[in-house]
Amino acid sequence: MSDQQTAISRRNFLKAGALLSGGLLISFTIPQANRLLIQDATTAFAPNAFLRIGADNSITVILSHVEMGQGIWTTLPMILAEELDADWDNIKVMHSGVDKDYNHTVYGIQITGGSSSTWSEFDRYRKAGATARVMLTQAAAKRTGVAIENCTTKNGYVIAGGKKLSYGELATEASTLPVPQNVTLRPPAQWKLIGKGVKRLDASVKTNGQAKFGMDIQFPGMLTAVVAHAPVFGGKVKSFDASGAKAVPGVKEVVEIPTGIAVIADHFWAANQGRKALKIIWDDGAGANLSTKTQVDAYQKLAHTDGLKAAQKGNVDQGLAKAAKLLKAEYVFPYLAHAPMEPLNCTVKISNDKCEIWTGTQLPGIDLAAAARILGMKPEQITMNVVFLGGGFGRRATITSDFVSEAVHIAKASGKFVKMVWTREDDMKGGYYRPMFVHRINTGLDASGMPIAWRHNIVGQSIMAGTPFESKDGVDSTSVEGIADSPYFETVPDHFVGLHTAKEVVPVLWFRSVGHTHTAYVMETMVDELAHTAGQDPVAYRRKLLQKSPRHLAALNLVAQKAEWDKKLPEGRYKGIAVHEAFGSYVAQVAEISIDNGKPRVHKVTCAIDCGLAVNPDGVKAQMESGIIFGLTMALYGELTIEKGQLQQSNFYDYRIARMNESPEIDVYIVDSNEKMGGAGECAVPPTAPAIANAIFAATGKRIYNLPIMNTPLKHIS
Amino acid sequence: MSSKKPFILIVLLLAAIGITIMSFKGAPVDHNTLATLPKDSIGSVKAFMSVYKVLKSARCMNCHPNGDVPLQGDDNHLHTMGVKRGTDGRGLYAMKCSNCHQAENAPGIHTPPGNPKWSLPPANMRMVFQGKTPRQLALQLLDPKQNGGRSKQQLIDHMASDDLVSWAWNPGTGRTLPPLSHTAFSAQVKLWIAKGAYAPAR
Amino acid sequence: MIALKVNDKSYQVDASPDMPLLWVLRDLLGLTGTKFGCGVAQCGACTVHLNGEAIRSCVTKVSRAQGQNIVTIEGLSLNNDHPLQKAWVEFDVPQCGYCQSGQLMSAAVLLRENPNPTNQDIDDAMSGNICRCGTYPRIRQAIHKAAEMQKEGGKS
């Protein structure tokens, strides 16, 4: 089922990729500037788009995917270096520019997202390395006269007879040879890096201040811009008076752009002081009528009716009529902000017939195309320099290219070389949230306590609507993923999953693990509730339901064993469990909590993952830790609210993020698996919130249907 | 930068007025002989109850918590980040009070309020207000072993003119003020003690 | 002009005295290792040492730092060899890496004042630094490791 679901999303991407590259980017050619950038003076051998070997033995791996914390800066070079037999100490890494060579192998556009970087590039980067190794070996055979069968490679050298030739000294000769089309890849038994793990290649520069993020881009003559945005979603500038802003020392210019008023100054602080001195009259528009409360009311009303069919089997009405026991539940999920630590920013330099952009983006090609449209330029006139992303979580992948477009507009309107910087408040209030959702469920259990009928209606905004990824049937797969394809329905004869897609003025976006952020919570707390209603152990109950889902079971069983599920915890400690598949990986977690002053404290999370082959096992573990803490923040604190069209939260004081003193002990176990590879960047997020909520039920007897958990005061059962 | 000048002028002017008022305000305070009124337990307790309301307001109580974590906001929630008192009341390690709290309030809302003396009472003199009944708090305030070794007169002076105490009436944008003005509060402290420094029954 | 001493180098900067130290360091001196995360002393990304204390430079006026001793991440060690930096690399602590300058500057004060920090001490020192990637468990491990390295270094 999950493969089908993934396939649906991938088809959407493929279609969209074709549309974007065929439709919007007509005659998309390779920007020459990017090519020059990746073939610097030391390059002697460039067998493909992903590898450059210098005469100085430097091995430069070029990334088609961007580094935003997930570790791809290390994983892709590992995969390539394995086949190249390269000296790991000589590896250098860089982000690619924009080029069709770097399009996603499945999605067809240049994108980092969907937890797909490792599995989608596994074959391509292996081949890239193997091809180069073959050519270097051929060059060595040619030079030494040793038969190619008698040449081997080791750690950056070709060993030909008694001679040891470095890749660097063979590079120029190798570059004259034809590129072989079919190369033999190394069998897993010979792997030295894959599955073993190496240290992160970006750790050092990220501990001494040297790593360059978009925020750190500086050039002589570059100015800094901040933008006053409409306080109400969808609002527009009616009129403005810039005289106060212009009087601030350091302010150079004030320009109107489609999204607000930009203040451009010598440095950030002057620009920000200038913004405070702006006088703007806004036209709020229809957005002023929006409030969270009325939105929830409307969604709840809708959830009582069947939405568009997302999944169906049998006849749910008849099934419910047969049930020995009926249960219903309604869930409410708020809007969420990604809040990456690096606020959004983008630097743009327009000169004559060229434009150069520096930013951290998950969609460099889409952003480049947006800049081309705004400037009336051809894509090849634009150079995109992707730097380290100070967190992405989906926020740096907007199909509308919101922040890149804004920066391009500022540069265009002012004629200045500008770095546009958003403050934390701009980021928090700037939209592109995880949508608000309401779920309503009616289930029926048979006499043995197993579910036989399940009606499930979901209400929320569509992330894909209005983008080239929009589905034709009106069912956005990202709204229902994790439910429409739930493994639990394998054993529920009569079920119906419906979707009502709401339209709001608030822009929404994929947020780390996308639909699974809410669907896993609903399914895993609901199944837990069913287990308790049936008087059965939550793990045993799940095992019965997941008989046909071996990978769910593998993760569930491993976590139950490692967390000693059957063992009683000390007084005052409680545990809860959840298992969920997302992005092709199966993750189960056990959360151990206590209740302290009416609030849950999460002491420990045990996690098991089946992601197929774990290319970099410690990297997978790091992503599990990361996802769990992200999920914990979402569960306990994550909430945005809107009143009269204005977002009520501003900064970390009212949009709380878990800190060191709330960070649980985390134990991660990887299932030894030869199954299909899945992703690791997002799949740990979904099970955390339901595992915590199920532990809270164990502690208090209270089910939490509205997130975040902090809104519900808690008491021990006793 | 030029906008600083009028500001400085105003400050100087205010300071001058302050000095003038002080010098006209009456007899110099004799620290050895405390001004007293006829003992009046009802009047004294009444005055203390006004003082108590101020001390239990967020601006005062938030830095006199019953734990080692200061409080924040009008709802007296635990200070985010779980900052701790430390032995000297000035925080711990990378979370010392003055790492964020400057000598003056930071501009804007939800920014750190400031004062040169910003701190909690030290660990050996915790001066807890939170959770104290009027009687408990009155007795604590009067006990030099629990009030920082202050005599009654020093207590009056502290409440009236201590820089950090005064901050409560200049707490920065977005923070509510104590229920009495500083002048009225100081007067009630004085009255409470002058009428016999009685502690309420509960 | 304001005289500043940053990482043992002297600078004269033309800045308004109320300009936050963060923006002086980043935009006027080009020391971009110190990060902007929230602007209101909530996240700790801008943490630098002012006379050895882990101050939040986003709310600290440059006037407070005038003539004082400032150390930024660029000056934490000469060759990226502070025990904390070595431990950070050993445990693969950074993910996106944006918060790590601040984390390291906070941890450095902890280790200086408490060479044997417990988990509780780490909570008490480090909870002012937000990491959205959730690297806290590894930061904790790396601080313990750095404490060990610091001791071993002291012996030899």
Side-chain angles (χ1 to χ4, degrees):
Chain A
M1 294 282 275
S2 59
D3 282 347
Q4 271 173 30
Q5 182 65 33
T6 319
I8 292 166
S9 306
R10 284 176 199 166
R11 267 201 303 281
N12 285 344
F13 270 107
L14 277 174
K15 265 192 308 201
L19 185 64
L20 285 163
S21 50
L24 302 175
L25 298 182
I26 307 160
S27 76
F28 189 98
T29 55
I30 299 158
Q32 198 55 36
N34 289 337
R35 279 289 152 112
L36 289 172
L37 189 74
I38 53 186
Q39 283 209 44
D40 59 21
T42 59
T43 298
F45 179 35
N48 48 58
F50 312 101
L51 174 63
R52 302 289 175 265
I53 298 178
D56 60 352
N57 280 321
S58 63
I59 309 278
T60 305
V61 179
I62 298 148
L63 301 187
S64 52
H65 290 255
V66 300
E67 176 60 50
M68 49 188 175
Q70 84 280 39
I72 209 65
W73 194 265
T74 306
T75 308
L76 292 184
M78 260 177 92
I79 296 169
L80 190 147
E82 179 74 75
E83 293 292 346
L84 179 60
D85 213 350
D87 179 357
W88 186 250
D89 293 336
N90 283 340
I91 300 278
K92 291 195 284 187
V93 191
M94 62 192 300
H95 284 137
S96 74
V98 172
D99 192 308
K100 64 176 171 25
D101 282 355
Y102 303 110
N103 281 352
H104 196 287
T105 58
V106 177
Y107 301 159
I109 56 170
Q110 204 169 328
I111 180 172
T112 306
S115 297
S116 64
S117 301
T118 301
W119 63 253
S120 74
E121 293 292 5
F122 191 63
D123 292 345
R124 185 155 74 172
Y125 274 74
R126 285 180 78 192
K127 271 181 201 150
T131 305
R133 179 166 49 90
V134 168
M135 292 168 79
L136 290 161
T137 310
Q138 285 170 347
K142 221 168 156 187
R143 192 196 286 190
T144 57
V146 176
I148 194 149
E149 303 81 44
N150 297 329
C151 296
T152 56
T153 58
K154 197 176 176 190
N155 218 25
Y157 289 90
V158 180
I159 319 285
K163 283 207 170 118
K164 199 175 164 194
L165 302 158
S166 77
Y167 286 179
E169 55 187 305
L170 293 167
T172 310
E173 281 163 76
S175 69
T176 63
L177 299 172
V179 179
Q181 289 312 301
N182 290 308
V183 289
T184 313
L185 301 178
R186 300 190 146 186
Q190 286 178 23
W191 287 345
K192 287 184 284 189
L193 300 172
I194 296 173
K196 310 288 188 294
V198 292
K199 292 285 160 204
R200 289 183 72 111
L201 291 168
D202 57 351
S204 195
V205 294
K206 287 179 175 177
T207 56
N208 62 10
Q210 297 303 307
K212 286 277 176 277
F213 299 86
M215 194 66 91
D216 305 330
I217 296 298
Q218 289 184 345
F219 289 100
M222 184 199 82
L223 301 172
T224 302
V226 299
V227 182
H229 296 114
V232 168
F233 288 105
K236 296 259 179 285
V237 175
K238 199 184 269 174
S239 64
F240 72 102
D241 172 5
S243 52
K246 284 178 175 165
V248 171
V251 170
K252 290 282 186 280
E253 188 144 8
V254 177
V255 292
E256 182 169 1
I257 55 168
T259 48
I261 307 296
V263 180
I264 303 165
D266 287 331
H267 48 72
F268 168 84
W269 193 66
N272 204 40
Q273 296 295 96
R275 177 167 71 169
K276 286 179 193 162
L278 280 174
K279 289 199 181 96
I280 306 173
I281 297 169
W282 299 98
D283 175 4
D284 289 344
N289 300 322
L290 188 72
S291 84
T292 301
K293 198 182 170 312
T294 51
Q295 209 181 338
V296 172
D297 289 348
Y299 284 20
Q300 285 174 325
K301 217 171 267 174
L302 264 177
H304 278 84
T305 63
D306 281 345
L308 282 176
K309 184 186 78 180
Q312 186 175 17
K313 200 165 87 180
N315 184 316
V316 74
D317 289 314
Q318 286 172 12
L320 287 168
K322 280 185 279 186
K325 185 157 188 156
L326 294 171
L327 253 90
K328 62 182 174 193
E330 187 179 88
Y331 291 81
V332 180
F333 298 89
Y335 285 115
L336 296 175
H338 307 70
M341 287 312 294
E342 181 196 12
L344 298 174
N345 61 80
C346 178
T347 303
V348 180
K349 183 185 191 182
I350 304 169
S351 45
N352 300 324
D353 54 351
K354 279 196 191 106
C355 171
E356 195 162 0
I357 299 173
W358 294 261
T359 193
T361 172
Q362 298 172 246
L363 279 172
I366 300 280
D367 290 344
L368 184 148
R373 282 198 301 279
I374 292 164
L375 299 171
M377 286 185 180
K378 290 182 184 137
E380 56 266 35
Q381 290 172 276
I382 299 172
T383 306
M384 175 68 77
N385 304 288
V386 181
V387 287
F388 281 129
L389 284 69
F393 315 118
R395 182 61 184 91
R396 289 185 153 93
T398 50
I399 300 298
T400 57
S401 297
D402 68 323
F403 60 95
V404 172
S405 295
E406 186 166 83
V408 172
H409 275 298
I410 297 168
K412 185 185 174 191
S414 65
K416 304 275 196 244
F417 180 6
V418 287
K419 171 164 69 180
M420 179 201 73
V421 172
W422 281 24
T423 59
R424 177 58 51 198
E425 290 80 6
D426 294 328
D427 182 87
M428 201 70 77
K429 293 178 186 291
Y432 294 92
Y433 307 129
R434 195 287 302 272
M436 210 186 93
F437 275 96
V438 168
H439 290 238
R440 191 173 174 84
I441 301 170
N442 294 82
T443 58
L445 307 185
D446 66 14
S448 72
M450 301 312 284
I452 53 166
W454 191 301
R455 167 175 270 122
H456 196 139
N457 279 293
I458 303 168
V459 188
Q461 281 170 263
S462 163
I463 295 164
M464 301 294 200
T467 75
F469 305 109
E470 183 166 2
S471 88
K472 291 283 172 288
D473 62 4
V475 177
D476 182 339
S477 58
T478 69
S479 299
V480 298
E481 59 188 0
I483 292 178
D485 56 344
S486 172
Y488 293 122
F489 292 155
E490 294 273 4
T491 48
V492 181
D494 298 302
H495 65 261
F496 173 84
V497 180
L499 174 67
H500 294 279
T501 295
K503 283 201 168 67
E504 311 288 357
V505 70
V506 182
V508 292
L509 191 61
W510 27 56
F511 170 103
R512 195 176 192 179
S513 83
V514 200
H516 302 283
T517 53
H518 53 102
T519 59
Y521 186 82
V522 171
M523 294 311 288
E524 284 304 306
T525 54
M526 196 68 213
V527 165
D528 211 73
E529 190 171 343
L530 299 187
H532 283 276
T533 306
Q536 296 181 33
D537 172 72
V539 171
Y541 191 79
R542 281 178 174 80
R543 283 187 185 129
K544 281 188 208 166
L545 287 170
L546 295 170
Q547 284 162 26
K548 293 179 188 169
S549 308
R551 298 185 73 182
H552 284 88
L553 272 179
L556 182 73
N557 288 335
L558 183 60
V559 87
Q561 179 211 329
K562 295 294 184 185
E564 301 184 302
W565 179 258
D566 296 325
K567 220 167 139 184
K568 210 171 147 30
L569 287 172
E571 180 80 19
R573 294 287 179 100
Y574 307 88
K575 62 195 164 192
I577 195 161
V579 57
H580 192 81
E581 177 274 330
F583 307 95
S585 288
Y586 301 73
V587 180
Q589 291 171 15
V590 171
E592 184 182 322
I593 69 150
S594 63
I595 304 293
D596 184 14
N597 277 323
K599 294 184 178 90
R601 166 126 182 81
V602 184
H603 298 276
K604 185 175 177 181
V605 176
T606 310
C607 172
I609 173 173
D610 175 2
C611 58
L613 169 69
V615 173
N616 188 2
D618 193 52
V620 170
K621 284 185 181 173
Q623 283 312 296
M624 295 304 100
E625 294 158 9
S626 174
I628 287 163
I629 291 167
F630 199 88
L632 181 139
T633 288
M634 176 179 87
L636 298 185
Y637 307 124
E639 182 179 35
L640 297 177
T641 53
I642 295 165
E643 263 174 56
K644 292 182 179 160
Q646 300 197 17
L647 193 85
Q648 299 302 294
Q649 288 70 25
S650 303
N651 205 315
F652 295 128
Y653 46 76
D654 50 13
Y655 189 74
R656 225 172 131 177
I657 307 291
R659 294 169 180 274
M660 178 64 89
N661 59 354
E662 300 156 288
S663 175
E665 182 190 343
I666 298 174
D667 276 346
V668 180
Y669 301 91
I670 300 174
V671 175
D672 190 10
S673 166
N674 292 316
E675 300 288 334
K676 194 174 167 197
M677 278 167 79
E682 299 171 85
C683 59
V685 177
T688 307
I692 293 170
N694 291 338
I696 289 171
F697 174 77
T700 65
K702 195 167 173 58
R703 289 280 171 202
I704 294 172
Y705 299 104
N706 294 7
L707 287 185
I709 291 167
M710 70 165 176
N711 289 350
T712 307
L714 301 169
K715 263 198 224 140
H716 286 276
I717 293 178
S718 58
Chain B
M1 299 249 277
S2 58
S3 64
K4 281 265 134 180
K5 272 180 197 158
F7 178 69
I8 290 165
L9 273 177
I10 290 167
V11 170
L12 285 173
L13 198 63
L14 285 172
I17 292 166
I19 290 160
T20 319
I21 289 171
M22 273 169 64
S23 58
F24 276 102
K25 229 182 170 181
V29 178
D30 180 344
H31 284 270
N32 297 317
T33 56
L34 185 63
T36 54
L37 293 167
K39 295 219 172 189
D40 168 8
S41 65
I42 293 173
S44 177
V45 165
K46 197 178 159 207
F48 179 76
M49 288 314 290
S50 299
V51 171
Y52 181 76
K53 264 185 229 155
V54 171
L55 299 183
K56 295 292 288 237
S57 78
R59 294 296 82 73
C60 299
M61 192 179 81
N62 282 358
C63 286
H64 292 267
N66 62 11
D68 281 329
V69 179
L71 312 173
Q72 279 181 317
D74 289 348
D75 61 350
N76 317 116
H77 61 265
L78 292 175
H79 195 299
T80 358
M81 312 147 202
V83 295
K84 293 263 179 79
R85 182 191 306 272
T87 40
D88 60 0
R90 296 179 182 277
L92 278 175
Y93 310 127
M95 291 203 285
K96 301 202 177 80
C97 306
S98 61
N99 288 356
C100 300
H101 298 276
Q102 309 292 317
E104 63 290 302
N105 296 325
I109 56 161
H110 291 293
T111 54
N115 182 278
K117 290 162 71 180
W118 197 268
S119 60
L120 296 184
N124 62 4
M125 186 64 66
R126 293 164 78 245
M127 302 185 209
V128 174
F129 292 1
Q130 190 185 18
K132 292 272 153 88
T133 64
R135 179 174 181 80
Q136 288 168 335
L137 191 49
L139 293 175
Q140 175 180 301
L141 286 171
L142 294 167
D143 177 5
K145 282 186 194 132
Q146 295 185 72
N147 76 2
R150 290 182 176 93
S151 68
K152 291 193 176 75
Q153 183 56 51
Q154 284 167 326
L155 194 62
I156 291 170
D157 293 347
H158 176 74
M159 300 290 204
S161 54
D162 179 81
D163 195 21
L164 189 51
V165 171
S166 304
W167 170 87
W169 285 273
N170 172 31
T173 320
R175 292 185 190 91
T176 57
L177 294 172
L180 294 183
S181 71
H182 194 187
T183 314
F185 168 71
S186 307
Q188 292 297 318
V189 173
K190 229 181 232 172
L191 205 59
W192 167 48
I193 290 173
K195 288 187 171 179
Y198 286 92
R202 285 159 197 280
Chain C
M1 289 299 232
I2 292 173
L4 290 178
K5 198 174 139 207
V6 187
N7 303 331
D8 284 331
K9 267 168 87 176
S10 296
Y11 298 88
Q12 292 285 328
V13 293
D14 182 10
S16 161
D18 55 352
M19 183 166 173
L21 178 61
L22 170 67
W23 297 108
V24 172
L25 292 171
R26 287 183 56 84
D27 286 1
L28 302 187
L29 302 184
L31 292 166
T32 55
T34 304
K35 303 302 184 197
F36 166 56
C38 71
V40 292
Q42 283 281 326
C43 80
C46 67
T47 305
V48 301
H49 294 177
L50 178 69
N51 298 332
E53 298 295 355
I55 61 139
R56 305 323 196 231
S57 63
C58 72
V59 291
T60 303
K61 292 175 182 175
V62 64
S63 55
R64 179 179 168 193
Q66 180 159 16
Q68 311 296 305
N69 204 358
I70 304 159
V71 177
T72 68
I73 186 68
E74 290 91 344
L76 182 61
S77 69
L78 284 175
N79 302 304
N80 209 16
D81 57 359
H82 188 287
L84 286 162
Q85 289 170 316
K86 289 198 269 184
W88 246 241
V89 170
E90 183 177 334
F91 284 91
D92 268 355
V93 170
Q95 291 192 21
C96 90
Y98 194 78
C99 73
Q100 299 298 345
S101 302
Q103 303 278 4
L104 283 156
M105 297 312 278
S106 284
V109 173
L110 168 64
L111 272 200
R112 188 191 65 218
E113 296 188 354
N114 182 345
N116 295 300
T118 61
N119 280 335
Q120 183 62 53
D121 296 330
I122 292 172
D123 284 354
D124 293 347
M126 301 302 295
S127 298
N129 292 80
I130 294 176
C131 173
R132 189 68 166 131
C133 298
T135 62
Y136 305 125
R138 286 173 192 242
I139 290 175
R140 190 184 296 283
Q141 281 179 300
I143 290 174
H144 285 307
K145 175 74 186 187
E148 274 173 40
M149 290 198 275
Q150 191 173 262
K151 264 178 272 169
E152 283 159 18
K155 272 180 212 155
S156 60

